[in-house]
Amino acid sequence: MTRRHSFTWHATTAVLAAAACASSPATTPKPIGAPTAQPAPNVNPFTGAKFYVDPEFARTVARAPTSTPEDAARMKKVATYPTAVWLE
């Protein structure tokens, strides 16, 4: 095979492959129809849920020094706040 025939064969193969890909059903857009299911209602899934309150955090807050009775009351309230742990 000569160099010219080799180039022609590669060019022809590339053109045929491109044409086959361009006309395949995977590249044609599909029509968008109406949704078949109703969307989920706008409801808070956490309503009524009880979140985790870390007992170690509560002990740490209880041990923190306070200067006034008002601060002590605030710290007691903070000790009841739910906490979260970031897992990596």
Side-chain angles (χ1 to χ4, degrees):
M1 198 181 307
T2 65
R3 183 169 279 237
R4 181 179 175 108
H5 290 291
S6 177
F7 173 76
T8 305
W9 183 80
H10 288 297
T12 304
T13 304
V15 168
L16 290 176
C21 290
S23 64
S24 70
T27 60
T28 56
K30 295 178 183 175
I32 298 175
T36 57
Q38 292 292 332
N42 190 9
V43 177
N44 184 353
F46 296 107
T47 300
K50 296 193 185 261
F51 294 98
Y52 177 71
V53 177
D54 184 6
E56 181 62 31
F57 175 72
R59 285 191 290 274
T60 302
V61 171
R63 287 191 303 258
T66 58
S67 59
T68 65
E70 292 84 17
D71 286 344
R74 288 184 192 113
M75 293 298 277
K76 188 174 182 181
K77 183 178 179 182
V78 167
T80 64
Y81 288 169
T83 57
V85 177
W86 186 269
L87 302 176
E88 291 186 38

